[in-house]
């Protein structure tokens, strides 16, 4: 999935790599083939963590001043059109693996959600469509960056291959 390299400081005060491998909170969807997520890191303001905080994270939506970094792999839209796809099972799975964030998705408007965050997004592979509530869209490819400012939006992958993006969510307070 993704490789995560974490640096730290040794007892002698030297910079060191303390972890190198797949993030410990990585999940691959059973009910939505091709959908995956990895919690890369999170911070609680204003402390600099000395231990990996991802295992104890209770909400993927950071409080004001906190951050959450994660990758999301979006399957092609055809996965959702497949008759074998079970939306209820997929929603339950999202609630389990993306607590706090999954609850913000609108059941009557698939994919639409608003988070009280400023998000920096970087498309790593594939192509994603950002749909905004007002009807505007942006097609993003590898290397494209988006700054999502607490607006109502959804992501789509109209391609035939999975698309992966890296996001940093910064807790910003209320939604607009």
């Amino acid at each position: 999935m993704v490789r995560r390299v974490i640096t730290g400081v040794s007892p002698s005060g030297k910079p060191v790599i303390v972890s190198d491998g797949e993030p410990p909170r990585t999940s691959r969807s059973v009910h939505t083939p091709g959908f995956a997520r990895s919690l890369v890191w999170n911070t609680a303001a204003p402390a600099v963590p000395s231990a990996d905080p991802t295992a104890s994270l209770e909400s993927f939506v950071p409080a004001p001043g906190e951050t959450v970094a994660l990758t999301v792999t979006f399957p092609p839209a055809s996965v959702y059109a497949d008759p074998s796809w079970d939306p209820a099972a997929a929603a339950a799975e999202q609630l389990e693996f993306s607590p706090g964030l999954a609850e913000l998705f609108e059941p009557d408007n698939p994919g639409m959600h608003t988070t009280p965050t400023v998000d920096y997004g970087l498309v790593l592979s594939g192509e994603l469509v950002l749909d905004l509530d007002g009807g505007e869209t942006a097609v993003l490819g590898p290397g494209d960056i988006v700054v999502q400012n607490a607006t109502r939006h959804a992501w789509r992958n109209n391609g035939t291959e999975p698309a992966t993006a890296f996001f940093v969510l910064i807790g910003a307070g209320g939604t607009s």
Side-chain angles (χ1 to χ4, degrees):
M1 160 119 353
V2 299
R3 176 181 173 206
R4 180 185 77 157
V5 177
I6 306 297
T7 63
V9 179
S10 73
S12 66
K14 294 189 178 209
V16 295
I17 294 174
V18 296
S19 175
D20 184 348
E22 188 171 281
R25 287 185 69 175
T26 294
S27 57
R28 291 162 185 81
S29 181
V30 172
H31 298 290
T32 306
F35 192 93
R37 78 210 46 78
S38 291
L39 177 64
V40 176
W41 197 254
N42 65 281
T43 60
V48 175
S50 59
D52 189 340
T54 58
S56 62
L57 184 69
E58 294 181 10
S59 175
F60 276 49
V61 179
E66 296 179 348
T67 66
V68 169
L70 68 152
T71 61
V72 180
T73 299
F74 298 87
S78 59
V79 166
Y80 302 102
D82 188 304
S84 67
W85 184 68
D86 182 346
E93 190 172 60
Q94 290 294 335
L95 288 168
E96 178 183 354
F97 293 120
S98 301
L101 183 59
E103 292 85 345
L104 298 177
F105 283 81
E106 302 171 18
D108 296 335
N109 297 297
M112 276 291 179
H113 61 289
T114 307
T115 57
T117 59
V118 173
D119 306 341
Y120 302 149
L122 170 65
V123 177
L124 300 173
S125 65
E127 185 175 275
L128 289 170
V129 178
L130 171 62
D131 289 325
L132 297 178
D133 182 35
E136 287 187 283
T137 63
V139 178
L140 304 166
D144 290 341
I145 297 170
V146 62
V147 177
Q148 175 63 29
N149 285 301
T151 57
R152 186 169 178 258
H153 67 284
W155 293 99
R156 286 184 291 119
N157 174 359
N158 291 336
T160 58
E161 298 295 323
T164 299
F166 172 72
F167 295 98
V168 176
L169 287 67
I170 304 166
T175 58
S176 8

